[in-house]
Each structure stands twice: as C-alpha cells, then as structure tokens.
Amino acid sequence: MSLEPYLLLAAALLAVGLYGALSQQSVVMLMMGLELMLNGVIVATGAFWFYVSADRPDGQVLVLVVVTAMAVEMAVGFAVTTAIFRSRDVDMVDSATDLKD
Amino acid sequence: MVQAVVFAICAAASVAAGIAVFRVDSMARATLALLASFVLAAITLLLLDLSYLGVLVILMMTMEMMIMIVFMVMYMMNPAGLMPMTMVHNNRGALAISIGVFAVLAAGIFIVPWPDTRPGTPADPTLQLAEAIMGSKMLVMMVVGMVLFATMVATTVLSTDRGRYDRYGDDLRRSRPDDPIRGGAGR
Amino acid sequence: MGEPMPLWGVLLLPIGLLLLGYGAAAWSAMLTARAGGAPASAAASAPARETARLLVEQRRTIPGADTVLWRLGGAAVPVAAILSVLVLPVAGRSAADLSVGVVWFNAMEVLIWVAVWTVGWGADSVWGLVGAYRFLVQGLAYALPHMFALTTAALGAGSLRVSDIVQAQEGVWFAALMPVAFGVYLLSAMAMAYWGPFDQAVARDLAGGAGAELAGVDRLVFRAGRYLMLTAAAAMAVPLFLGGGAGPLLPEWTWTVLKAAAVLALLVWLGHRLPTVRMDRFTEVGWVVLIPATLLQALVVAIFALVV
C-alpha cells in the first residue's frame, strides 16, 4: 500500500460530493454533497498523516478539526434551513437568493 | 496483501455508495447510502492504524446521519421515493466540473513526487493524538469546544420560533415559562 | 493486554449471549405471568413456544413498503448486539481486545438507532414511523449521559482498552468508585434496548411501534435482537464497572457470566416495575440532570485519579 490509492479515493469522494453540491436543488441534498467532500478531506488527511508525518500528531489533530467542521456544518445548515422554511416555506436553494437582489 | 484487497473493496464500495446518494429516489436510502460511504471510508482509516479516529468517524456519522434523516424526510417532497423525481439544476455543468476536478486531482496525485520515506508510526496513535490536544495543540481543542458550544446556541436560536416573550409573557414576569411541552425535570 | 480468545471462544460468544438473552426473555415472561396470577414456572418455556410459533408464521409483505430496508433493519438489531460484545473480556480474553474498545462498544451500540429507525420506516406504516421517531428522540436523550458514563470508566483506568479497565479494578470496583456513572449506565442500558421505562418506541399505544408490522421470522429476529442488546449492555457492565471476572473460588468466566446474569435480571425486573417514561420528558431529565451529574462524576474521578 502507498499514498496514491488513498489520495485517489479522497479525490473521487471529493468529486462525487462536488457534483452533489453543485447540482442538487434541495438544501438537504446539497448538504449531503458537502459532507461527502469533507469525507474525502478526512481520508486524504489520514493518509498524509500515515505516509508523510506519522511521527507528528498534526495530521490527526486536523482530522479531528474536520470531523468537528462536519458536525457544525450539518447542525447550522439544518438550523438555517429550518429558519428559512419557517419564514418563507422554502427549501430549495434556487428560491433562497435574496442576497442576489 | 490482505490490506490492499480490503482497501480496494472498501474504497470502491465507498465511492459507489457516494454516487448512489444522488441516484436513489428515497431519502431514507440516500441517507443510509451516505452513511455506508462514511463507514467504508472509515474502515480505510482503520487500515492506517488510526483506530480511534476511524471508530470515532463511524460513531459520529451514524448519529449524525440518523439526525439528518429526520430533516431529509421533513424537507423533501415525496421523501419515500414512491415516484421517481429529479431535483437538479445544471446537471451537465456540475458533472463536467466534478469530472474535471477529479481528473486534475488524479493527475496531480501521480505527477507530484511524494516523499517515499515513511516515518515510523507511533506505538499508540491514540495516545499521540491525546497528548497533542492536551498539550502542544491545546488551543485547537479549546477553539473546537467553543465552536461546538456556539453552534449549539446558534442552532437553537435559529431554529426555534419561540422567543423569551412567548415563554415568559410580554413583560417577562411569568415565573415559569409557558412551553407547549413541559419538561420532565419538574419545571 | 491479554492473549486473544481462541476460535471456539469467539464462536461460543454469540451462543452465550443467546442463552443469557433467552434467560432474560424467560424471566420477563415469568414476571408477567406472576403479575397476572398464573403459575410462574410454566412461563419459563414461553419464549421457546413463541419462537416456534413465529418460525411457522408467515412473513408479512406490504405493498409500498421499502422491503430491503425493512428486513435489513430488523437483522441489524442482533448484529449490532453481537458486534458490540466483541470487546467483552471473558476469563481475561476477548474476541478483539481493541485499544479503543470502549469507543468500539459505543459505536456498535449506536447502530441500534439505524436499525430501529429503518425497521419503523421500512414498513410504510404510521405506527412504525412514530415509534422510529420516538426512538431517535430517546437516543438523543440517553446518548450523551451514556457516553460520559463510559468516559468516566475509561478515565478511572486511564485507558480505552476494556481489559485495562478490568485490571484497574483489582482494588475497588468502579461501581463503588463511581456510582453515578454506574447508575446512568444501567439507565442507558435499558434505554438503548428500548426496555422497561424506555419502551415508548415499541409501546402498546402504538400497537407495537417500530415493530408493529413485523410478522413471522422477521418479528422473531427483531424481538430476539432486543433481548440480545439488553444482554450485551448488561454484560458490558461487568468489565466496565463490576471488576470483570474477579471473584472467589469459582473460575473467572463463571463470575463474568454470573455477574452479567445478575445485572440482566435486575434490568428486566426494573423494566417490569417502573412505569413508562415519555421520551420528551426524559430528554429534559437527561440533559438537565444526568449530563451535569455524569460530568461532575467524571471530574471527581479525574481528581481522584490524579491524587491517588
């Protein structure tokens, strides 16, 4: 085993997640895409830690930070969705474009 | 050798489950597919001696997906996928961009000369992590803790539609809050 | 770190779990019979008769159901229970003495959320779905106190490895050292097996809740899985809080089984004695009372570990 297969897996997960984040209209599906992208980041970070800097804890700490980012992203994302839905009955990203106007 | 086979199976299945998330109609299946993708990716982490972080990802993602599934079912029309539907915009563009990103990343992975001397793994990676976040990287841990706390407060504020005037009356003089559901702690 | 368990031991582990689980079901049936005034001894074979009946009963098929998820969810209940006891040391050896055994136990036992929700969702029935959502609410209420109770045991031993936790209790059992954590663990053990006061997910007012539509072998797997989960939770209390296999005269594995059986009998009895608690009420108790209590307990144990 070497670093490349892990990075390839991470890149594939990132690309699949990116597709979801770009193409989905529903906010919740969009967030699933974001989660998949972060999952790719976790795999890449873990692999970098193991193959490049296992003697230092930095990679592991970074994985911990990304896991936290995922949790925060999901919690805040759903809270915002709920807030938007409450005020306007909207759960599609296309309809929530007030800042554009 | 065994490791390589396990990795190959898990990696392929993880990506396949990730693709399935956006292919299936049922929200329950989409969320469980995402969970499967996370768990399989976490198994590849276990292969890297990251036993704590791998199991932590399994634990956290299981709980997170079960919360997510509530919102998925709540906010999607036709959550059970009994009728086929697509809710996408600019599908072609998104597909092209993501395939392009993957191609660039994959090319980069094989072009960049990665260092091939692997530093020795510590005897207990969990201990390494623990000593880091309670020692040299303590600031990270403190920030993470504060961020999580801020998230709890912010999400509650954002998602509730009842403010203190609803709970304690217009002059905030009510001695016990007027909540639709009374808690169990005797309040 | 002990030697690995021999292969026959790993095979024996689920069988032992099944036997203890049967004992729990029989004990539960006896308590029900005694409460109804019937002779308790005849009820000991009730689970076996029920098993035979369910085996010959026809499986139910429902139009519009998500059959794949429905069946998988039911099967996941016993699988989660068996996976969670892989780190259980019997006679000083466990099937997999992971360095993060406590976290493994927690992660596998959380799979029960997926299982129960999926069973309730898959049947395309309103009773099942309401039961499934009830279990998620209950999960949010018990999960954090449960995690802090596990953390406290790990903190007392200074290790996440279950065999290290057993070794740390050579002097005094953690049940005596950290009674709050032990009590919370017992509560959450009942909650994770949706047993006793926390049985709202499969409650009678929902005609069986998450398992309402199950019939035949599916129902058997779901109900047996619940007893296995209760048994697994009771058995893990032994290495975590009750000194593992420590005891006079008898060999170590006997003590493990005896202690697990005692905890299990207590849980089943409590389940019959206590009234059902609504999970929305339990949520406030969990967050306002149990979390601070377990955090204080962890603080006390941490100071104790530093000083001693």
Side-chain angles (χ1 to χ4, degrees):
Chain A
M1 290 298 293
S2 62
L3 182 59
E4 283 86 359
Y6 274 96
L7 292 183
L8 215 53
L9 167 63
L13 288 173
L14 195 85
V16 173
L18 187 63
Y19 163 75
L22 288 178
S23 70
Q24 297 296 317
Q25 285 183 309
S26 162
V27 179
V28 277
M29 288 300 279
L30 185 152
M31 281 167 52
M32 296 182 113
L34 292 180
E35 298 261 303
L36 264 176
M37 291 174 74
L38 287 176
N39 192 24
V41 174
I42 288 182
V43 170
T45 316
F48 271 125
W49 172 81
F50 187 76
Y51 287 107
V52 180
S53 68
D55 49 346
R56 298 167 53 80
D58 307 3
Q60 289 204 63
V61 175
L62 196 54
V63 173
L64 209 64
V65 171
V66 178
V67 170
T68 316
M70 279 170 106
V72 171
E73 175 253 320
M74 194 203 74
V76 176
F78 280 129
V80 170
T81 314
T82 308
I84 294 178
F85 193 80
R86 257 192 223 290
S87 58
R88 270 177 286 167
D89 256 2
V90 159
D91 70 331
M92 309 267 281
V93 279
D94 297 332
S95 321
T97 50
D98 289 15
L99 284 179
K100 209 164 84 177
D101 303 331
Chain B
M1 190 55 216
V2 178
Q3 277 207 343
V5 172
V6 172
F7 174 81
I9 294 172
C10 284
S14 174
V15 176
I19 293 171
V21 170
F22 303 109
R23 302 280 305 174
V24 294
D25 289 324
S26 155
M27 283 306 104
R29 288 190 181 194
T31 317
L32 291 176
L34 187 60
L35 175 59
S37 175
F38 283 136
V39 170
L40 289 162
I43 293 174
T44 68
L45 285 185
L46 294 179
L47 293 178
L48 296 177
D49 289 350
L50 286 172
S51 48
Y52 175 72
L53 289 173
V55 179
L56 180 75
V57 168
I58 295 179
L59 169 63
M60 252 202 61
M61 290 309 138
T62 311
M63 297 175 105
E64 195 176 315
M65 288 305 119
M66 291 328 284
I67 306 305
M68 192 159 191
I69 217 164
V70 175
F71 289 91
M72 298 294 291
V73 171
M74 192 158 81
Y75 284 127
M76 289 295 263
M77 56 202 84
N78 184 24
L82 295 175
M83 286 164 288
M85 59 160 190
T86 48
M87 283 173 59
V88 291
H89 50 196
N90 195 12
N91 194 27
R92 289 242 184 94
L95 210 55
I97 291 175
S98 50
I99 290 177
V101 165
F102 178 70
V104 170
L105 285 176
I109 288 166
F110 287 110
I111 289 172
V112 172
W114 302 110
D116 48 1
T117 50
R118 200 163 72 69
T121 329
D124 189 353
T126 314
L127 188 67
Q128 187 197 35
L129 174 65
E131 282 175 342
I133 58 174
M134 285 296 127
S136 56
K137 301 278 186 294
M138 195 161 193
L139 188 60
V140 176
M141 200 59 202
M142 286 162 71
V143 171
V144 161
M146 285 314 292
V147 165
L148 285 175
F149 181 67
T151 306
M152 286 186 194
V153 176
T155 48
T156 314
V157 170
L158 272 174
S159 55
T160 186
D161 64 335
R162 290 168 57 79
R164 55 187 166 150
Y165 293 110
D166 300 308
R167 299 185 71 221
Y168 289 100
D170 292 337
D171 47 3
L172 298 178
R173 292 246 181 86
R174 214 171 275 160
S175 59
R176 58 165 50 175
D178 176 28
D179 290 332
I181 298 172
R182 299 262 313 281
R187 289 195 293 129
Chain C
M1 183 175 167
E3 294 168 52
M5 196 182 257
L7 190 62
W8 58 265
V10 179
L11 293 175
L12 217 58
L13 199 65
I15 296 174
L17 203 65
L18 262 176
L19 286 177
L20 270 179
Y22 181 86
W27 171 228
S28 173
M30 283 160 77
L31 286 174
T32 310
R34 203 180 61 183
S41 55
S45 63
R49 281 180 272 134
E50 179 73 0
T51 304
R53 186 182 73 76
L54 287 173
L55 277 176
V56 295
E57 193 180 70
Q58 194 129 60
R59 293 172 106 179
R60 190 173 298 172
T61 48
I62 301 171
D66 196 334
T67 314
V68 178
L69 290 189
W70 192 30
R71 304 246 197 268
L72 275 180
V77 181
V79 169
I82 289 171
L83 282 179
S84 66
V85 291
L86 285 185
V87 291
L88 173 79
V90 182
R93 297 167 173 201
S94 39
D97 195 16
L98 304 176
S99 61
V100 290
V102 174
V103 190
W104 169 269
F105 171 68
N106 201 341
M108 291 307 117
E109 137 258 293
V110 164
L111 289 182
I112 207 91
W113 292 24
V114 183
V116 173
W117 190 87
T118 315
V119 169
W121 164 268
D124 191 26
S125 136
V126 67
W127 305 124
L129 197 56
V130 173
Y133 281 135
R134 281 184 177 181
F135 190 67
L136 287 189
V137 175
Q138 180 167 307
L140 287 180
Y142 84 77
L144 273 178
H146 176 69
M147 283 180 185
F148 285 130
L150 291 180
T151 311
T152 312
L155 193 63
S159 169
L160 288 169
R161 194 188 292 278
V162 181
S163 58
D164 287 351
I165 296 180
V166 173
Q167 267 181 7
Q169 298 177 66
E170 273 175 356
V172 53
W173 289 2
F174 281 174
L177 196 62
M178 40 187 94
V180 177
F182 183 52
V184 168
Y185 179 87
L186 289 184
L187 272 187
S188 54
M190 285 194 279
M192 79 176 71
Y194 37 102
W195 180 261
F198 307 108
D199 61 353
Q200 279 249 290
V202 291
R204 258 187 234 158
D205 62 339
L206 288 181
E213 298 292 336
L214 295 166
V217 69
D218 297 322
R219 190 177 199 88
L220 174 66
V221 169
F222 185 70
R223 288 175 70 174
R226 182 196 194 190
Y227 281 109
L228 285 182
M229 196 67 223
L230 192 65
T231 313
M236 276 305 284
V238 176
L240 289 178
F241 295 101
L242 296 174
L249 295 176
L250 297 170
E252 266 193 51
W253 68 270
T254 341
W255 275 113
T256 306
V257 172
L258 278 180
K259 287 175 188 173
V263 175
L264 188 57
L266 174 73
L267 292 183
V268 172
W269 182 76
L270 280 176
H272 278 262
R273 294 298 296 177
L274 297 175
T276 296
V277 181
R278 257 176 38 202
M279 71 283 140
D280 52 335
R281 302 220 146 182
F282 179 60
T283 304
E284 184 167 310
V285 176
W287 283 72
V288 177
V289 180
L290 295 185
I291 290 182
T294 44
L295 279 177
L296 278 178
Q297 175 76 89
L299 181 68
V300 170
V301 170
I303 293 171
F304 181 81
L306 269 185
V307 172
V308 179

